[in-house]
Structure formats: C-alpha cells, structure tokens
Amino acid sequence: RIALIGVGIMGADHARIFAEDIPNVQLQVVCDAFEERATEIAQKYGASHVSNNPQETVTRSDVDAVVIASPDQTHAPLSIAAIEAGKHVLCEKPLAPTSEQCLEVLEVEKRLGKQMVQVGFMRRFDPAYTQMKDSLDNGAIGKAIMFHCFHRNVEAPANFTGQMAISNSAPHEFDAARFILDEDIAAISVFQPKSVDTTKTGAPVFMVMETQSGQLVNVEINNNAAYGYDVRGELVGELGSVFLQAPVHSLLNANLQAVETYPADWRPRFAEAYRLQNKAWIQSILSGEPSPIASNAWDGYCASLIAEAGVQALNEGRKVTIEMINKPTIYQ
Ligand code: ISE
C-alpha cells in the first residue's frame, strides 16, 4: 500500500509504473498540492484516496511505503517524516538540494540503525549502464581510465534556474560514475563555452571530475540541445571501451532517408530503468534488505555534495576538492 506525494511529470509516471508494471502494489493515496490533479491521477490509476496534505499522508496507518516526487526542497523533510512514521521511501532525485539537508536524512537512518530510503537515480538499472558496469567488472576492458558522458535535453524546463544543469541534471552522471567505477569523486572543475550566452537558463556546462584513484570523468550537460533527448557516453579502459547506446527500436527508411527518432524527454529513454528501479524498491521492502544496486541516502548525499562543489567551481573558476563525512556503518 503506497502513497504517492507529488504528481508532476515524474509522479504521474511513477503512478503509471506501479499501477501497470509492478506486482504486489496497491496505489493507496495520491497526494498533491493541486487536489484536482491528484484526483485525476488517482482515478486514472485506481488509487483509493486523495489528499493535499503530504505530512498527514506519510503518517497514515493504511500506507506502508511512500514515493516522494514533490518539489526538490520537500524531499528531505518528507523523507524524514515518513521514516519516523516507519514507512519505506522511494525519493526522487535529488535527496535534497543541499548536502546539509541530506545529512539530516542520514542522521535519522543512523539513529534508526537501518536504511529506509532509496533515491531515484534510476540509471543504475538501465540495461546499457548495467552492461557497461558488467564489462568493467568482468575485466573485458581492463582497468578504467576515463569516462566520457553527455546528457542533452531538448530544452530547459520552465522552472530551470541558474545552475540547475549542475544541481538537477548532472547528479545522474555523478551517481552513475560513482556506481560504475565504484569510486568516490575527489575534485571537480566546471566550465562553460564562452561562445554561448552563459546567463541563459540551461546554458551548457562542461565538467571534469577526478576520482579518488585518479580516473577522469567528463560530463557535458546541455539542457537546450534542441534535436532530442540524448544521453550517451563511453567508458575507456586499458584494454578497450564500452559505448553507452540508447535503445533504438526502429529505423524508418523513407524519402531517401534512414531515420532514427530521439525521445522528447527522459521517460521513454529510461522507461526500463524506472520499471526495474521501482520493482527493486518493492522487492527490498518485501525482503527487508536494501537493493544492492539502488542508490541509498548516502549516495544521495554524495550526489548533492558533488553538485554543490560543481556550482562553487563554476562560480569561482577553479577546481574544488570534495570533502565527505566518514561513511556511517549502516551504509558500508
Ligand atoms: C530531470 O530532472 C531528470 O531527472 C532527467 O532524468 C534528466 O535527464 C533531466 O536533465 C533532469 O532535468
């Protein structure tokens, strides 16, 4: 019996996934500030109740687990309220806009002595990233040296402000790099092409990260790429490389052309990743064991910490080292 908090783009997609693709789940409550939107989604996906009060919703006795897909600044306080009410949480990224807020969630889990939050860095479940990690882990490409990433949206959402390319989009690459390389990030430098209007919302950013063992990860974020939603990359090892391919389901031959079609946003590109992520979350609740693949609150803290360092690196025009707290034992 799950409650869904927030039915914007991602919340509505989670409602669809749980209603249509995940067994052993009852969508019990749909909560949104706009009750008519909550009612629309509840009726569409068979939820039993509707609410516009998230604090009340996460403590309901007829709810076992909570999906938090409300605005970023509500993620940490609602996660904490849900944990304190004994509910497991699937929290959309980021865990919190600041590392300080993330630490508040870690503190509650430390006191409880167990992980209760899974963070929605779904790329860990994407088949292309999975194959990339398997190729590294089974030695096919030798020792990893560099990881090239690019992440392009059609256009920046209307609510995109300032450096959200770094704090909202790039955390996917921050988490994917940590997961695939099994490394933490030691430092980050951030640049912007001087040939574009860098004051424009969603202007491109180019980041170079150094891992603690000295590998290099570069990330291009372009939220106004115009041509399509396109996330690719290449993991380079001493013996070979793995190129991240997007799933291409068809090639249209017509009018003297061969045409592949890009998705308009991330949902089609990562549909399988979201399904597998959400399935793993339910499985982790039923088994009582956190998913060995999914991001936990510690991973959420690391992604927000790297993002803060990235914004500082851009603003100050210098490389910023990343100082983490000691990893609490419950995340070892
Ligand atoms: C958005 O918030 C997401 O999480 C998408 O996965 C990402 O591709 C997009 O850039 C973000 O703005």
Side-chain angles (χ1 to χ4, degrees), residues 21 36 94 147 171 182 195 248 257-258 279 283 291 324:
D21 293 344
E36 61 280 3
F147 188 10
D182 193 21
S195 55
V248 177
Q257 290 181 314
K279 185 179 174 186
Q283 184 53 41
S291 161
M324 295 183 292

Side-chain angles (χ1 to χ4, degrees), residues 176-224:
R178 290 185 59 251
F179 173 62
I180 285 176
L181 297 172
D182 193 21
E183 284 267 348
D184 276 309
I185 305 300
I188 185 168
S189 305
V190 181
F191 310 90
Q192 286 188 292
K194 296 291 179 279
S195 55
V196 300
D197 173 3
T198 56
T199 64
K200 183 179 174 209
T201 296
V205 293
F206 188 87
M207 293 163 259
V208 179
M209 294 182 281
E210 297 164 57
T211 69
Q212 290 193 341
S213 68
Q215 298 140 326
L216 293 179
V217 180
N218 65 271
V219 181
E220 171 214 316
I221 303 284
N222 184 352
N223 291 102
N224 291 304

Side-chain angles (χ1 to χ4, degrees), residues 93 122-123 151 153 160 168-169 172 223 229 266 274:
K93 41 67 66 180
M122 78 292 176
R123 295 192 190 177
H151 174 173
N153 282 271
F160 240 63
N168 179 282
S169 298
H172 282 294
N223 291 102
Y229 184 79
W266 59 88
Y274 280 115

Side-chain angles (χ1 to χ4, degrees), residues 56-313:
E56 179 268 338
T57 298
V58 299
T59 58
R60 289 172 65 121
S61 60
D62 64 342
V63 166
D64 303 303
V66 179
V67 178
I68 298 173
S70 41
D72 294 359
Q73 65 275 13
T74 68
H75 290 183
L78 288 177
S79 293
I80 290 168
I83 297 167
E84 289 176 341
K87 318 293 184 186
H88 287 270
V89 176
L90 173 61
C91 180
E92 260 299 331
K93 41 67 66 180
L95 177 61
T98 68
S99 58
E100 190 179 350
Q101 262 194 315
C102 291
L103 289 176
E104 292 168 11
V105 179
L106 270 64
E107 200 48 47
V108 173
E109 288 193 325
K110 272 170 58 179
R111 277 204 310 271
L112 188 65
K114 66 183 285 195
Q115 298 178 33
M116 294 289 283
V117 179
Q118 179 175 314
V119 180
F121 287 116
M122 78 292 176
R123 295 192 190 177
R124 292 176 175 228
F125 293 88
D126 177 63
Y129 280 93
T130 301
Q131 288 177 19
M132 175 182 273
K133 181 165 175 59
D134 290 347
S135 299
L136 176 60
D137 291 352
N138 68 24
I141 62 170
K143 188 164 173 283
I145 309 170
M146 294 170 284
F147 188 10
H148 308 300
C149 308
F150 65 70
H151 174 173
R152 298 170 180 161
N153 282 271
V154 174
E155 64 178 345
N159 66 340
F160 240 63
T161 59
Q163 299 315 336
M164 285 179 73
I166 302 170
S167 63
N168 179 282
S169 298
H172 282 294
E173 275 76 18
F174 299 158
D175 183 70
R178 290 185 59 251
F179 173 62
I180 285 176
L181 297 172
D182 193 21
E183 284 267 348
D184 276 309
I185 305 300
I188 185 168
S189 305
V190 181
F191 310 90
Q192 286 188 292
K194 296 291 179 279
S195 55
V196 300
D197 173 3
T198 56
T199 64
K200 183 179 174 209
T201 296
V205 293
F206 188 87
M207 293 163 259
V208 179
M209 294 182 281
E210 297 164 57
T211 69
Q212 290 193 341
S213 68
Q215 298 140 326
L216 293 179
V217 180
N218 65 271
V219 181
E220 171 214 316
I221 303 284
N222 184 352
N223 291 102
N224 291 304
Y227 69 86
Y229 184 79
D230 190 6
V231 169
R232 282 180 281 169
E234 183 177 19
L235 178 62
V236 181
E238 289 176 333
L239 303 177
S241 78
V242 183
F243 198 88
L244 206 60
Q245 298 275 39
V248 177
H249 301 298
S250 68
L251 184 69
L252 170 64
N253 295 313
N255 307 314
L256 303 181
Q257 290 181 314
V259 180
E260 291 179 14
T261 302
Y262 286 100
D265 68 42
W266 59 88
R267 290 167 296 175
R269 166 65 185 82
F270 290 110
E272 182 63 356
Y274 280 115
R275 188 186 69 80
L276 292 172
Q277 165 194 265
N278 293 14
K279 185 179 174 186
W281 178 58
I282 295 298
Q283 184 53 41
S284 74
I285 296 170
L286 295 174
S287 69
E289 288 300 322
S291 161
I293 297 173
S295 303
N296 56 29
W298 171 258
D299 299 310
Y301 159 71
C302 289
S304 293
L305 192 66
I306 298 165
E308 282 170 351
V311 171
Q312 183 185 355

